[in-house]
Amino acid sequence: MVYALTRAGEDGWGSPVIVGTFAAAAIALAAFVAVEARSPSPILDLRLFRSPSFTGIMIASLAMSGAAFA
């Protein structure tokens, strides 16, 4: 995904390479979530996202990081 974000300015957002890279990133994220949900000792415990305060903090930190490094 980082590769697609950095190359999209030069190659164009509709470039097949960029669109394919975003698709691959989405598939990799879905695979990660599927594996973590079934793992007895996950790297990221997905049950944490059931807490609204935890989810809010994660969304806020994502927005702050995106704004800081944009």
Side-chain angles (χ1 to χ4, degrees):
M1 183 172 170
V2 174
Y3 173 77
L5 289 172
T6 57
R7 294 292 302 175
E10 294 177 22
D11 295 346
W13 289 95
S15 167
V17 172
I18 300 303
V19 172
T21 306
F22 277 126
I27 291 169
L29 177 62
F32 174 78
V33 170
V35 169
E36 290 296 295
R38 292 183 177 93
S39 176
S41 57
I43 296 171
L44 174 63
D45 189 2
L46 298 176
R47 291 177 295 178
L48 291 171
F49 287 102
R50 292 180 185 162
S51 168
S53 59
F54 179 81
T55 303
I57 290 170
M58 291 296 108
I59 291 171
S61 66
L62 176 67
M64 289 177 55
S65 296
F69 295 109

